[in-house]
Amino acid sequence: MHRLFVGFRPPAAIRAPLLALAGGIAGARWQRDDQLHCTLRYIGEVERPVAEDIAVALGSVRFAPFEVAIAGVGEFDSRGRPNAVWAGLRPQEAVTQLHQKIDQALVRIGLAPERRAYLPHITLARMNVAAGTNARFLEAHAGLASAPFAVDNFLLFESHLGRDGASYEAIERYPLRG
């Protein structure tokens, strides 16, 4: 089985300040540099033939390169408990449209459509069950911003779960072109 997702990585100059934010939240597991990305579509576990079909389908996606910037921070929660802290992306429209194009390409080969609401973001930390409040961190970094950066490709990743968390391997790179 292959555990797959589609995403893009911001350049090193954008990732460095995000990595510098690590700390200040009890129970947080901060993302490493190799984990920082924006997920465009989670796929999940698939057999090799399906993974090969996915790789081909993603090659059919046509989308023009665009620019985004880091803009603010937020958190996701489950049943009122924070489970992740993230950095937002602005403008969101191009990222959301690319997400939709990728989803459509995958639905055409038989994958179920994405049902969850999509919010473009880069996960900074994941929370343990007993994590404390993130309010102080969120308030301190509410104005987080970066210079715009180009998104000119997306990647098919394979996720490998390990004792120290997930590691991500880029399987294929897809250039953006109009």
Side-chain angles (χ1 to χ4, degrees), residues 155-166:
L155 301 137
L156 175 60
F157 287 97
E158 184 165 3
S159 175
H160 304 281
L161 299 177
R163 189 173 35 124
D164 298 324

Side-chain angles (χ1 to χ4, degrees), residues 34-136:
D34 64 312
Q35 295 173 313
L36 292 177
H37 69 278
C38 173
T39 299
L40 292 165
R41 173 63 152 78
Y42 178 73
I43 297 168
E45 290 191 359
V46 297
E47 297 288 344
R48 181 163 197 86
V50 175
E52 292 169 353
D53 291 345
I54 288 167
V56 171
L58 292 174
S60 72
V61 173
R62 298 289 179 261
F63 202 83
F66 57 93
E67 287 191 339
V68 294
I70 302 296
V73 294
E75 69 181 5
F76 291 125
D77 66 57
S78 177
R79 298 184 195 136
R81 289 189 160 174
N83 61 18
V85 171
W86 48 262
L89 295 171
R90 296 277 190 269
Q92 295 182 350
E93 293 77 20
V95 183
T96 300
Q97 290 169 1
L98 179 56
H99 157 77
Q100 291 167 344
K101 285 254 193 181
I102 290 168
D103 189 53
Q104 291 166 359
L106 297 177
V107 167
R108 281 194 294 274
I109 63 165
L111 271 65
E114 178 68 61
R115 300 262 185 242
R116 295 176 293 180
Y118 182 71
L119 175 68
H121 69 280
I122 297 170
T123 299
L124 301 175
R126 300 192 186 280
M127 305 301 137
N128 294 329
V129 175
T133 180
N134 303 327
R136 188 172 288 143

Side-chain angles (χ1 to χ4, degrees), residues 4-27:
L4 304 176
F5 69 92
V6 181
F8 66 85
R9 287 188 34 87
I14 300 298
R15 294 191 315 266
L18 297 178
L19 292 167
L21 296 175
I25 299 176

